[in-house]
Amino acid sequence: MSKKEVKLKFNAAWDLAPAPEDSKHVSIKKQYDLFINGEFVKPNSKKYFATYNPATDEKISEIADADEKDVDKAVKAARAAFGKWSKLSGKERGKYIYRIARLMQERAREFAVIETMDGGKPIRESRDIDVPLAANHFFYYAGWADKLEYAFPNKNPKALGVAGQIIPWNFPLLMAAWKIAPALAAGNTVVLKPAETTPLTALKLAELIRDSGLPKGVVNIITGAGKTGAAIVNHPDINKIAFTGSTNVGKWIQKSIAGTDKKCTLELGGKAANIIFEDAPLDQAVEGIINGIFFNQGHVCCAGSRLFVQESVADIVIRKLKDRMETLKVGDPMDKNTDIGAINSKQQLLKIQEYIAIGKNEGGEIYQPSCSLPKKGNFCKPTIFLNVSQSHRIVQEEIFGPVLAIQTFRTIEEVIEKANNIPYGLSAGVWTDKGSKIFNLTSKLKAGVVWANTYNKFDPTSPFGGYKESGFGREGGLHGLGAYLQF
Amino acid sequence: MSTKTTIPDFRVTPSIDQVGIEERVARFTSRSIKKESKMQGMKMVLSMIDLTTLEGKDTEGKVKQMCYKAAHLHDVIPGLPTVAAVCVYPSMVKTAKDALKGTGVKVASVSTAFPSGQSTHEIKISDTKFAVDNGADEIDMVISRGEFLKGNYKFVFDEIASIKQACGKARLKVIFETGELSTLDNIRKVSDIAMYAGADFIKTSTGKISPAATMPVTLVMLEAIRDYYYATGRMVGMKPAGGISTSKLALQYLIMVNETLGADWLSNEWFRFGASSLANDVLMQIAKQNTGVYQSSDYFSKD
């Protein structure tokens, strides 16, 4: 027995047969126009761009490219609808929002499949997380629509007006729900732009909103790239900008709206510390590391991309982490057994690969599991870097991919200092069996969300947002509602 | 067991987070097992069953019938394995041993005043020796749960070690009766105690109380086996028992084994199901996989 190597063998004896989710039931049009004033209209530019399936590189559909005139048209429609919508009783507004939530549940399967086709995330996630959570946001905020006076007593809450909302490609439908639901509950009207690589579920949401009978112009969904977004930000008749995306764009938005009275919430990048103490439930902590960094291929602003492990348990945690990584199934996002799907775009894949090269050049010790990757499409192996420090670029910069930088620490003071020693402050994770240690850390970590003995948990009732370069303002919960009201 | 192994302090075994365990289990149960992999999995399940009868009303006749079933699960379908073992009371070991001669199916006997374990040390040792002398290949002992819950870990450790000695060449499975141990932390602790005391298998339940085997409990035990393997280089087997009666659930257990301990544990040398009615559900699913239709339960023998 002593001669035998002590090593576990994964994926050797029993391979699971492919179990692809059926995509025949979904209807995707060859071409999508802009959803303005309750109907789909051709773009003024007459231009369309293609959206691709990142797992196969196949073109899925063509999407209208909105220019400044289209944005103006959408804002005018939203403004025209605002008067009536904001004066409608909260109870009536709530009814519409509930209807959207229920329709989303009814069409959940179609939304999940399209989300996975367009964005590359595993069907398990879009089915079990993105779509149900999106519907929950509508349900939750529908409930607040007729209770604004109770939510903010004696403050006489009033809608802001027209909200311009720009959302990223990592959670296309969920981010649309985070933005639209509280805006409508508070009585605002909306012009929303999804990301150019993942516009399809937002456009399906437009169809759903049309079918729900929501008054025309209350929600307008227009598509395009950065220029379209800029036109929304700079439009003079918009009262509020809500943006989720990169820190660079966030900074540009703040500059652009300086001197105007536009309200603004920004949810930007992150480089979260996931901290494992020696007294933590280690196997569950390892699961938390996996969920923290490999959930949605690491395309998560609150991803736990910096791991801090107490030195006394570092070897055992890293061994467990490597074993767990061997069991991850990377491949066809439509397969129900896939754990890690496709990287959202070629451009993002190149960026991640560049960071992996930087990590190697900086002398980080790289580890990737033995899994094979599909030949076609944008795929990246789950990756960890050992023996890195705060001074390494892969520790400082947001990679937005399945790449984890691991450092060890000795004392609580040391880990708090290192965790906070970053321009970002969106989220953090703490793993320990000791309650007092959790409370000590949650009060000292400069992060909008601190998870204790879990990671990447989202709930409509819980506010979410960041410190420092991770942005400002909160979404979710009462805080998220207040961000769409004036008092 | 290597002589270099140091025995850890069982008062400070690793902590377990129940919420995290349940989330991990939910990932296993959402795996989709189809086509060839399903067939392969179901045959593995059959070959891992400890076909069990543990009742006051057991007779030689009943045990002989069950033994025939153990070696001839469903002769209509060729190429099926036999079950791994039959599991009986010590008084039935000889009958089972004779009935199974030449089949390769092993005889497992419960012992140590199963199921409560509330008896004297001498009786537990002689109970075990009686079963071994009658030909038992495997012994399924129960631990003294009362002593464990009192914090008397040394008693539990020593008892397992002495039963292991009494087993001789027979492999020892140690039943924790996890349904009486209340917390996952306790289950982790008792798993470590049993393995360091010499258990060849650790087993969840007697099947006499509810809850019997559950996936969270089994996962905690599998993770303990993994840590023990890395610490000592010795493989220990796992046997969930009681409450696993459907093919679907059994396959989910195998997924959990495959993704926690890997391929080396996917054989009946290292993994068993203690079950009485699981075999027929698996047979029904295999028949369905072959013919495309479900057959009535009357097409499958009940022994």
Side-chain angles (χ1 to χ4, degrees):
Chain A
M1 198 162 291
S2 55
K3 278 180 220 151
K4 218 176 97 189
E5 194 193 0
V6 179
K7 193 174 182 346
L8 301 176
K9 298 189 203 86
F10 293 105
N11 297 326
W14 190 30
D15 267 337
L16 295 183
E21 172 73 37
D22 185 13
S23 62
K24 287 189 201 96
H25 59 91
V26 306
S27 72
I28 300 174
K29 290 190 283 187
K30 279 194 177 140
Q31 198 176 71
Y32 280 93
D33 293 320
L34 308 170
F35 184 68
I36 297 173
N37 207 23
E39 53 196 27
F40 284 93
V41 296
K42 299 256 174 242
N44 176 62
S45 67
K46 298 193 173 66
K47 278 193 228 152
Y48 291 82
F49 60 93
T51 183
Y52 296 90
N53 180 337
T56 61
D57 295 331
E58 281 159 19
K59 185 167 133 185
I60 311 176
S61 181
E62 284 189 341
I63 311 295
D65 191 1
D67 64 12
E68 276 177 36
K69 281 190 178 157
D70 295 311
V71 170
D72 186 54
K73 202 164 150 190
V75 174
K76 282 198 171 112
R79 176 61 60 194
F82 175 67
K84 233 178 157 182
W85 174 250
S86 60
K87 285 187 194 75
L88 203 63
S89 77
K91 193 174 143 202
E92 290 304 311
R93 282 204 311 273
K95 274 191 197 169
Y96 284 113
I97 307 170
Y98 274 125
R99 199 179 297 160
I100 293 170
R102 284 196 305 272
L103 282 169
M104 191 174 284
Q105 285 185 323
E106 279 169 24
R107 302 181 191 178
R109 199 162 157 225
E110 185 179 22
F111 273 104
V113 167
I114 295 176
E115 194 75 312
T116 287
M117 287 171 76
D118 203 21
K121 65 174 67 202
I123 186 76
R124 181 185 62 77
E125 288 178 10
S126 47
R127 178 195 66 200
D128 296 346
I129 298 165
D130 291 63
V131 178
L133 206 47
N136 279 350
H137 269 266
F138 281 106
F139 275 118
Y140 172 72
Y141 281 111
W144 277 123
D146 62 348
K147 301 177 193 71
L148 299 180
E149 295 288 345
Y150 302 92
F152 305 98
N154 302 317
K155 285 179 126 179
N156 191 24
K158 281 198 182 66
L160 296 170
V162 177
Q165 305 178 323
I166 300 164
I167 58 171
W169 45 260
N170 56 344
F171 296 94
L173 181 69
L174 183 60
M175 288 301 111
W178 278 32
K179 296 272 185 288
I180 294 174
L184 296 191
N188 302 278
T189 55
V190 163
V191 176
L192 176 123
K193 184 191 90 68
E196 64 271 25
T197 59
T198 56
L200 282 180
T201 43
L203 291 161
K204 291 304 279 191
L205 177 62
E207 289 179 359
L208 182 154
I209 285 170
R210 183 192 58 196
D211 299 348
S212 77
L214 188 76
K216 288 181 175 184
V218 172
V219 172
N220 304 277
I221 296 178
I222 56 175
T223 43
K227 268 175 82 179
T228 315
I232 294 176
V233 171
N234 290 322
H235 196 286
D237 201 26
I238 276 186
N239 302 95
K240 145 127 195 174
I241 296 292
F243 171 74
T244 299
S246 73
T247 295
N248 280 341
V249 176
K251 285 177 178 173
W252 177 86
I253 289 175
Q254 251 192 304
K255 279 181 204 151
S256 306
I257 62 172
T260 73
D261 62 354
K262 287 175 191 167
K263 293 205 182 257
C264 185
T265 48
L266 301 174
E267 202 265 89
L268 311 173
K271 189 80 181 173
N274 205 0
I275 304 167
I276 317 260
F277 286 97
E278 61 182 358
D279 61 352
L282 294 184
D283 283 304
Q284 289 78 61
V286 166
E287 212 46 39
I289 301 170
I290 296 281
N291 286 336
I293 187 62
F294 301 132
F295 173 54
N296 198 28
Q297 298 73 246
H299 303 327
V300 186
C301 43
C302 53
S305 49
R306 288 185 299 152
L307 177 66
F308 291 94
V309 190
Q310 197 152 17
E311 274 186 19
S312 53
V313 291
D315 289 348
I316 187 169
V317 167
I318 285 157
R319 186 197 75 213
K320 283 171 185 284
L321 179 60
K322 285 179 176 175
D323 271 347
R324 178 69 176 93
M325 285 169 75
E326 277 298 318
T327 67
L328 290 170
K329 298 179 198 304
V330 187
D332 179 9
M334 290 291 272
D335 193 305
K336 292 174 207 160
N337 290 322
T338 293
D339 296 311
I340 300 181
I343 300 301
N344 188 270
S345 64
K346 190 71 56 197
Q347 190 192 356
Q348 186 61 24
L349 180 63
L350 291 173
K351 186 185 153 191
I352 295 166
Q353 285 165 343
E354 194 188 318
Y355 271 111
I356 290 176
I358 290 171
K360 282 187 192 162
N361 288 337
E362 286 179 322
E365 181 191 332
I366 187 172
Y367 173 82
Q368 293 177 320
S370 59
C371 64
S372 58
L373 299 181
K375 291 203 177 71
K376 259 196 341 188
N378 311 327
F379 289 91
C380 178
K381 280 190 181 188
T383 304
I384 59 175
F385 277 101
L386 301 161
N387 299 327
V388 292
S389 65
Q390 292 287 98
S391 310
H392 283 78
R393 275 186 70 195
I394 52 166
V395 174
Q396 295 168 339
E397 295 172 23
E398 184 180 40
I399 300 173
F400 223 61
V403 182
L404 176 67
I406 304 179
Q407 299 182 73
T408 58
F409 70 94
R410 296 155 302 169
T411 64
I412 287 201
E413 295 74 26
E414 180 187 2
V415 79
I416 292 172
E417 186 180 27
K418 284 182 171 167
N420 288 336
N421 175 217
I422 195 96
Y424 298 107
L426 189 55
S427 59
V430 179
W431 297 80
T432 167
D433 216 26
K434 200 165 189 177
S436 58
K437 211 184 273 177
I438 292 172
F439 287 114
N440 181 23
L441 263 88
T442 48
S443 62
K444 288 177 183 150
L445 291 172
K446 295 253 182 305
V449 185
V450 182
W451 285 291
N453 292 330
T454 188
Y455 207 92
N456 273 342
K457 282 278 175 308
F458 307 98
D459 191 280
T461 65
S462 170
F464 183 91
Y467 273 74
K468 300 191 277 190
E469 290 204 5
S470 291
F472 51 78
R474 295 291 179 264
E475 291 182 302
L478 269 183
H479 301 71
L481 188 63
Y484 284 95
L485 289 164
Q486 51 186 326
F487 305 105
Chain B
M1 208 163 119
S2 154
T3 48
K4 280 182 205 153
T5 305
T6 46
I7 292 167
D9 181 352
F10 296 118
R11 288 168 302 182
V12 287
T13 45
S15 60
I16 307 292
D17 185 83
Q18 185 170 345
V19 175
I21 285 283
E22 281 163 7
E23 282 179 3
R24 182 75 186 107
V25 165
R27 290 288 293 268
F28 297 129
T29 57
S30 69
R31 289 272 188 234
S32 180
I33 312 152
K34 301 264 181 254
K35 298 175 190 154
E36 322 84 69
S37 48
K38 185 174 181 185
M39 194 53 129
Q40 193 192 345
M42 288 192 296
K43 286 186 179 170
M44 261 193 294
V45 170
L46 287 179
S47 75
M48 290 169 170
I49 291 174
D50 280 4
L51 204 58
T52 302
T53 182
L54 292 169
E55 290 176 358
K57 63 182 186 223
D58 284 349
T59 59
E60 286 83 1
K62 158 76 188 172
V63 169
K64 278 185 205 159
Q65 288 169 348
M66 190 181 76
C67 287
Y68 190 82
K69 168 87 173 182
H72 303 268
L73 280 170
H74 196 59
D75 288 344
V76 181
I77 301 175
L80 292 182
T82 65
V83 299
V86 297
C87 186
V88 294
Y89 270 115
S91 55
M92 295 296 158
V93 167
K94 198 165 181 355
T95 308
K97 191 74 187 173
D98 292 344
L100 289 169
K101 210 161 267 170
T103 60
V105 178
K106 296 194 161 58
V107 176
S109 170
V110 295
S111 85
T112 67
F114 180 94
S116 74
Q118 297 283 20
S119 191
T120 63
H121 186 68
E122 292 70 32
I123 286 175
K124 290 181 186 181
I125 295 287
S126 66
D127 198 17
T128 306
K129 282 194 171 147
F130 175 80
V132 174
D133 291 346
N134 276 278
D137 304 293
E138 299 169 356
I139 294 293
D140 291 28
M141 73 169 284
V142 291
I143 64 156
S144 298
R145 282 87 80 188
E147 295 296 333
F148 175 81
L149 292 170
K150 266 158 68 182
N152 201 352
Y153 305 139
K154 186 175 179 309
F155 181 98
V156 177
F157 184 97
D158 291 346
E159 188 172 73
I160 295 167
S162 58
I163 298 293
K164 168 71 183 169
Q165 216 165 15
C167 281
K169 281 186 180 154
R171 292 178 90 197
L172 175 64
K173 307 195 194 99
V174 179
I175 306 172
F176 301 151
E177 197 65 304
T178 52
E180 290 185 347
L181 299 185
S182 165
T183 66
L184 294 180
D185 283 322
N186 274 347
I187 288 159
R188 169 67 197 224
K189 194 185 290 288
V190 74
S191 302
D192 285 353
I193 292 173
M195 289 186 293
Y196 279 97
D200 297 301
F201 261 86
I202 53 177
K203 175 174 168 184
T204 58
S205 325
T206 61
K208 298 296 179 195
I209 76 151
S210 186
T214 66
M215 287 185 75
V217 160
T218 305
L219 177 58
V220 170
M221 291 166 71
L222 292 171
E223 287 174 349
I225 290 172
R226 180 173 61 185
D227 290 349
Y228 177 81
Y229 174 63
Y230 274 116
T232 67
R234 187 170 79 94
M235 288 172 78
V236 172
M238 173 71 210
K239 179 177 172 184
I244 305 163
S245 56
T246 66
S247 169
K248 188 176 177 185
L249 183 56
L251 289 173
Q252 289 170 346
Y253 270 83
L254 288 194
I255 291 278
M256 182 160 70
V257 175
N258 192 29
E259 294 190 23
T260 309
L261 289 169
D264 287 340
W265 266 261
L266 284 182
S267 85
N268 63 14
E269 201 185 344
W270 302 110
F271 192 79
R272 299 280 178 85
F273 291 104
S276 48
S277 58
L278 172 62
N280 272 12
D281 190 71
V282 178
L283 292 170
M284 197 189 286
Q285 297 294 337
I286 290 179
K288 195 252 169 184
Q289 201 87 345
N290 285 342
T291 62
V293 288
Y294 280 110
Q295 295 173 359
S296 143
S297 65
D298 287 340
Y299 288 80
F300 303 94
S301 60
K302 288 171 188 156
D303 271 312

